[in-house]
């Protein structure tokens, strides 16, 4: 999630899917209400304070237990709170801490994004692996999943010698220069495993090859790729999203389509890019955020950007920040690309073929005892069956503004985040998307 924000004209009905069309450039007559879907369950609240272990829910990954689908797991990042692992009822079954600082004065770990690799070959057989971006230490960490160990299914198998991803030296490892977003995939032609990391507050992506060494996993850099930082608008002027000095528009949400070998990368204040997962060739902008082209000036006192007039060059489906990207795949290459439109608390579905046409959008709304999802960072969806609760698929989304509020000892609300579990049947019923 971006720390700065454009002061745009008012957004109406925050969290209700109602957007001021004049403020963000929606075409006349565009719909202002969208389908509402409700979560089946949610995980416990996490608190980003000392008492809560500075745990801040961010990104989920759904691991399916092929032998016992109802015993599948949801693996999530919690920033300084490490990894939290839940069962399908939303109950925590394991917590793994971040690495401690390697020396005085250096940073501890801070887990940002997580993805999965299936069938990684080890000496004792194949296993699935969770791959994590550690933005605190500028590393990629790996965890082997053991379905037979119900109490502690994940084991850290990161090689001790794994290199930094972006920083040249340990002294350079800081929040502005570290691995941030992450996607992992297996090359179908070669069987090799890769991870793509994005650099915090920067347009750079880096591809690394993951390699098994004994019982551990290390990685080596393959290549880097930089997305555009500035853009020529239709009126001939150059535009860049407003940001704090020294930063360029960053990417966080990423996903690789296993059937096409394409990477989708969400440049938060720009839009969704599509390019080859091996970071070769050219990139294409699939969709732009509504705020695309709006000039802004950075206010150092408030750490915010003050927006100018909207020239009308933005898209019509996603509002900055564009965040969690995930693919609903039916196993035969059919399905959808889903994106979290954080600026208006919705989720947008695109076709996976050709120019990735817009299909529909929806929101995760509150019902009785479970609130909806707002300011969503990470999301993951699976089309597989997970038993009676999720027979035709599961969508897990982060909730960046979980309610009800919990008041701390100082009388102030404690920052509160968690994850919502949504049945794909409900999404399909309310939106008309296939299951």
């Amino acid at each position: 999630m971006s720390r700065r924000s454009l002061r745009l004209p008012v957004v109406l009905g925050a969290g209700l899917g109602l957007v001021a069309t004049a403020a963000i450039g929606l075409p006349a007559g565009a719909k202002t209400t969208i389908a509402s879907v409700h979560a089946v369950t949610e995980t416990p609240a996490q608190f980003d304070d000392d008492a809560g272990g500075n745990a801040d829910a961010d990104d989920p990954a759904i691991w399916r237990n092929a032998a016992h689908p109802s015993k599948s797991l949801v693996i999530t990042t919690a920033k300084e709170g490490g990894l939290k692992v839940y069962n399908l009822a939303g109950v925590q079954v394991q917590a793994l801490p971040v690495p401690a600082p390697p020396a005085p004065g250096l940073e501890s770990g801070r887990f940002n994004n997580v993805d999965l690799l299936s069938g990684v070959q080890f000496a004792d057989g194949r296993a699935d692996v969770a791959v994590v971006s550690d933005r605190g230490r500028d590393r990629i960490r790996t965890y082997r999943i053991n379905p037979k160990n119900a109490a502690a299914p994940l084991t850290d198998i990161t090689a001790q010698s794994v290199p930094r991803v972006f920083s040249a030296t340990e002294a350079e490892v800081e929040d502005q220069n570290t691995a941030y977003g992450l996607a992992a995939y297996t090359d179908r032609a070669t069987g090799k495993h890769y991870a793509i990391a994005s650099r915090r507050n920067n347009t750079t992506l880096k591809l690394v090859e993951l390699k098994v060494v004994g019982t551990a996993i290390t990685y080596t850099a393959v290549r880097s790729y930089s997305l555009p930082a500035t853009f020529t608008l239709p009126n001939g002027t150059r535009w860049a999203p407003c940001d704090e000095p020294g930063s360029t528009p960053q990417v966080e949400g990423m996903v690789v389509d296993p059937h096409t070998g394409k990477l989708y990368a969400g440049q938060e204040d720009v839009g969704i890019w599509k390019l080859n997962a091996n970071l070769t060739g050219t990139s294409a902008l699939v969709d732009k955020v509504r705020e695309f082209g709006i000039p802004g000036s950075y206010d150092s006192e408030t750490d915010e950007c003050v927006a100018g007039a909207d020239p009308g060059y933005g898209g019509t489906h996603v509002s900055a920040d564009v965040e969690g990207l995930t693919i609903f795949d039916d196993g035969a290459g059919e399905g959808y690309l889903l994106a979290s439109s954080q600026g208006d608390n919705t989720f947008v579905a695109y076709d996976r073929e050709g120019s990735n046409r817009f299909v529909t959008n929806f929101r995760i709304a509150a019902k009785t005892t479970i609130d909806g999802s707002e300011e969503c960072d990470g999301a993951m969806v699976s089309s597989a069956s997970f038993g009676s609760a999720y027979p035709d698929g599961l969508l897990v989304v982060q909730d960046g503004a979980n309610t009800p509020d919990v008041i701390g000892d100082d009388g102030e609300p404690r920052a509160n985040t968690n994850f919502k579990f949504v049945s794909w049947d409900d999404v399909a019923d309310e939106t008309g998307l296939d299951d």
Side-chain angles (χ1 to χ4, degrees):
M1 179 169 60
S2 177
R3 292 186 294 107
R4 67 272 173 209
S5 60
L6 284 172
R7 289 182 175 173
L8 295 172
V10 66
V11 176
L12 304 179
L16 300 179
L18 304 179
V19 179
T21 58
I24 56 177
L26 286 176
K31 67 177 182 178
T32 57
T33 59
I34 61 172
S36 293
V37 182
H38 306 292
V40 174
T41 192
E42 63 182 334
T43 61
Q46 298 187 45
F47 300 98
D48 191 11
D49 55 25
D50 290 342
N54 298 311
D56 183 11
D58 194 302
D59 192 45
I62 302 168
W63 175 77
R64 184 172 185 269
N65 186 325
H68 304 283
S70 63
K71 297 182 180 180
S72 300
L73 302 171
V74 176
I75 303 164
T76 71
T77 58
K79 304 285 180 58
E80 292 177 37
L83 289 182
K84 309 285 187 181
V85 183
Y86 304 96
N87 63 23
L88 294 186
V91 176
Q92 182 176 301
V93 298
Q94 187 179 16
L96 295 100
V98 297
L106 297 179
E107 298 290 331
S108 63
R110 183 175 171 86
F111 291 168
N112 211 70
N113 285 47
V114 58
D115 206 349
L116 299 176
L117 290 172
S118 299
V120 177
Q121 182 68 61
F122 294 88
D124 60 347
R126 294 188 179 274
D128 298 337
V129 172
V131 185
V132 179
S133 60
D134 180 356
R135 72 187 251 199
R137 296 295 314 125
D138 190 30
R139 264 80 169 180
I140 293 172
R141 304 196 67 83
T142 46
Y143 296 80
R144 183 168 174 167
I145 302 170
N146 180 2
K148 296 181 180 180
N149 190 338
L154 268 64
T155 301
D156 189 348
I157 57 168
T158 311
Q160 291 186 352
S161 60
V162 291
R164 295 173 296 274
V165 181
F166 293 106
S167 306
T169 66
E170 284 298 318
E172 289 183 9
V173 175
E174 58 180 23
D175 199 39
Q176 305 295 318
N177 193 44
T178 56
Y180 190 55
L182 179 131
Y185 75 100
T186 300
D187 186 301
R188 289 190 165 191
T190 65
K192 294 181 178 180
H193 306 292
Y194 296 93
I196 304 161
S198 65
R199 180 176 168 183
R200 171 76 168 150
N201 283 356
N202 196 277
T203 66
T204 302
L205 309 177
K206 181 170 284 189
L207 178 72
V208 302
E209 182 183 349
L210 300 166
K211 301 177 180 180
V212 175
V213 179
T215 58
I217 289 182
T218 188
Y219 51 85
T220 56
V222 178
R223 65 179 59 89
S224 296
Y225 189 101
S226 292
L227 290 168
T230 61
F231 305 85
T232 301
L233 300 177
N235 63 5
T237 62
R238 295 292 290 175
W239 171 80
C242 178
D243 212 327
E244 58 190 48
S247 297
T248 55
Q250 69 185 9
V251 168
E252 183 174 9
M254 295 189 290
V255 65
V256 173
D257 188 323
H259 287 273
T260 65
K262 295 294 185 180
L263 168 71
Y264 293 95
Q267 197 171 16
E268 295 178 348
D269 299 323
V270 176
I272 301 170
W273 293 93
K274 179 167 66 173
L275 62 157
N276 293 330
N278 63 8
L279 303 188
T280 62
T282 59
S283 54
L285 195 56
V286 169
D287 200 3
K288 297 179 291 186
V289 297
R290 294 183 172 107
E291 298 82 358
F292 187 93
I294 297 179
S297 58
Y298 179 74
D299 185 334
S300 59
E301 293 187 1
T302 63
D303 193 27
E304 291 183 341
C305 291
V306 180
D310 185 353
Y313 300 136
T316 59
H317 307 304
V318 288
S319 293
D321 294 348
V322 57
E323 289 279 352
L325 299 182
T326 182
I327 288 178
F328 181 87
D329 178 29
D330 67 356
E334 299 294 326
Y336 311 97
L337 168 69
L338 302 183
S340 167
S341 174
Q342 193 179 75
D344 63 357
N345 300 319
T346 67
F347 297 86
V348 183
Y350 299 90
D351 191 271
R352 288 166 63 191
E353 298 179 350
S355 59
N356 301 103
R357 67 177 179 86
F358 166 78
V359 179
T360 191
N361 54 8
F362 60 94
R363 61 188 173 96
I364 311 301
K367 75 163 187 178
T368 23
T369 59
I370 303 177
D371 63 313
S373 172
E374 297 180 318
E375 302 176 17
C376 175
D377 273 353
M380 187 172 182
V381 68
S382 172
S383 68
S385 173
F386 292 88
S388 59
Y390 308 101
D392 293 303
L394 169 64
L395 170 64
V396 179
V397 302
Q398 186 256 12
D399 180 12
N402 185 48
T403 58
D405 289 337
V406 176
I407 306 302
D409 294 339
D410 59 359
E412 297 295 325
R414 300 173 68 194
N416 183 354
T417 56
N418 73 346
F419 295 92
K420 267 57 178 180
F421 294 12
V422 181
S423 171
W424 186 260
D425 273 342
D426 294 338
V427 177
D429 289 345
E430 296 299 329
T431 64
L433 295 173
D434 294 330
D435 55 20

